Coordinates of all heavy atoms in Angstrom, one line a residue:
A1183 N 13.0 22.9 -9.2 CA 14.4 23.3 -8.7 C 14.6 24.7 -8.9 O 15.1 25.4 -8.0 CB 15.5 22.4 -9.4
L1184 N 14.3 25.3 -10.1 CA 14.5 26.7 -10.3 C 13.6 27.5 -9.4 O 14.0 28.6 -8.9 CB 14.2 27.0 -11.8 CG 15.2 26.4 -12.8 CD1 14.8 26.7 -14.2 CD2 16.6 27.0 -12.6
L1185 N 12.4 27.1 -9.2 CA 11.5 27.8 -8.3 C 12.0 27.8 -6.9 O 11.9 28.9 -6.2 CB 10.1 27.1 -8.3 CG 9.0 27.8 -7.5 CD1 8.7 29.2 -8.0 CD2 7.7 26.9 -7.5
A1186 N 12.6 26.7 -6.4 CA 13.2 26.7 -5.1 C 14.4 27.7 -5.0 O 14.6 28.4 -4.0 CB 13.6 25.3 -4.7
A1187 N 15.2 27.7 -6.1 CA 16.3 28.6 -6.1 C 15.9 30.1 -6.1 O 16.4 30.9 -5.4 CB 17.2 28.3 -7.3
L1188 N 14.9 30.4 -6.9 CA 14.3 31.7 -6.9 C 13.8 32.1 -5.5 O 13.9 33.3 -5.1 CB 13.3 31.9 -8.0 CG 13.8 31.8 -9.4 CD1 12.6 31.9 -10.4 CD2 14.7 33.0 -9.7
A1189 N 13.1 31.2 -4.9 CA 12.6 31.5 -3.5 C 13.7 31.8 -2.6 O 13.6 32.8 -1.8 CB 11.8 30.2 -3.0
G1190 N 14.8 31.1 -2.7 CA 16.0 31.5 -1.8 C 16.6 32.8 -2.1 O 16.9 33.6 -1.2
V1191 N 16.7 33.1 -3.4 CA 17.2 34.4 -3.8 C 16.3 35.6 -3.4 O 16.7 36.6 -2.9 CB 17.5 34.5 -5.4 CG1 17.8 35.9 -5.8 CG2 18.5 33.5 -5.8
G1192 N 15.0 35.4 -3.6 CA 14.1 36.4 -3.2 C 14.0 36.6 -1.7 O 13.9 37.7 -1.3
L1193 N 14.2 35.5 -1.0 CA 14.2 35.7 0.5 C 15.4 36.5 1.0 O 15.3 37.3 1.8 CB 14.2 34.3 1.1 CG 13.9 34.2 2.6 CD1 12.6 34.8 3.0 CD2 14.0 32.7 3.1
V1194 N 16.6 36.1 0.4 CA 17.8 36.8 0.8 C 17.7 38.3 0.4 O 18.0 39.2 1.3 CB 19.0 36.2 0.2 CG1 20.3 37.1 0.4 CG2 19.3 34.8 0.8
C1195 N 17.3 38.6 -0.8 CA 17.2 40.0 -1.2 C 16.1 40.8 -0.4 O 16.3 42.0 -0.1 CB 16.8 40.1 -2.7 SG 18.2 39.4 -3.8
G1196 N 15.0 40.1 -0.1 CA 14.0 40.8 0.7 C 14.5 41.1 2.1 O 14.3 42.2 2.6
V1197 N 15.2 40.2 2.8 CA 15.7 40.4 4.1 C 16.8 41.4 4.1 O 17.0 42.3 5.0 CB 16.2 39.1 4.8 CG1 16.8 39.4 6.1 CG2 15.0 38.1 4.9
L1198 N 17.6 41.4 3.0 CA 18.8 42.3 2.9 C 18.4 43.8 2.8 O 19.2 44.7 3.1 CB 19.6 41.9 1.7 CG 21.0 42.6 1.5 CD1 21.9 42.4 2.7 CD2 21.7 42.1 0.3
S1199 N 17.2 44.0 2.3 CA 16.7 45.4 2.2 C 16.7 46.2 3.5 O 16.8 47.4 3.5 CB 15.3 45.4 1.5 OG 14.4 44.8 2.4
I1200 N 16.5 45.5 4.6 CA 16.5 46.1 5.9 C 17.8 46.7 6.3 O 17.9 47.9 6.6 CB 15.9 45.2 7.0 CG1 14.5 44.7 6.6 CG2 15.9 45.8 8.3 CD1 13.9 43.7 7.5
P1201 N 18.9 45.9 6.3 CA 20.2 46.5 6.7 C 20.7 47.5 5.6 O 21.4 48.5 5.9 CB 21.1 45.3 6.8 CG 20.5 44.2 6.0 CD 19.0 44.5 6.2
I1202 N 20.3 47.3 4.4 CA 20.7 48.3 3.3 C 20.1 49.7 3.6 O 20.7 50.7 3.5 CB 20.3 47.8 1.9 CG1 21.2 46.6 1.5 CG2 20.4 48.9 0.9 CD1 20.7 46.0 0.2
S1203 N 18.8 49.6 4.0 CA 18.2 50.9 4.4 C 18.8 51.6 5.6 O 19.0 52.8 5.6 CB 16.7 50.6 4.6 OG 16.0 51.8 5.0
A1204 N 19.2 50.8 6.6 CA 19.8 51.3 7.8 C 21.2 51.9 7.4 O 21.6 53.0 7.9 CB 19.9 50.3 8.8
M1205 N 22.0 51.2 6.6 CA 23.3 51.7 6.2 C 23.2 53.0 5.4 O 24.1 53.9 5.5 CB 24.1 50.6 5.5 CG 24.5 49.4 6.3 SD 25.8 49.8 7.4 CE 27.1 50.1 6.3
S1206 N 22.2 53.1 4.6 CA 22.1 54.3 3.7 C 21.8 55.5 4.5 O 22.0 56.7 4.0 CB 21.0 54.0 2.7 OG 19.7 54.0 3.3
R1207 N 21.3 55.4 5.7 CA 21.0 56.6 6.5 C 22.2 57.2 7.2 O 22.1 58.2 7.9 CB 19.9 56.3 7.5 CG 18.5 56.0 6.8 CD 17.4 56.1 7.9 NE 17.5 54.9 8.8 CZ 16.9 53.8 8.6 NH1 16.2 53.6 7.5 NH2 17.0 52.8 9.4
I1208 N 23.4 56.5 7.2 CA 24.6 56.9 7.9 C 25.3 57.8 6.9 O 25.7 57.4 5.8 CB 25.4 55.8 8.4 CG1 24.6 54.8 9.3 CG2 26.7 56.3 9.1 CD1 25.4 53.6 9.8

Side-chain angles (χ1 to χ4, degrees):
L1184 293 176
L1185 183 60
L1188 289 176
V1191 173
L1193 191 59
V1194 169
C1195 293
V1197 176
L1198 186 60
S1199 63
I1200 299 175
I1202 289 176
S1203 177
M1205 289 289 292
S1206 67
R1207 290 194 293 268
I1208 302 177

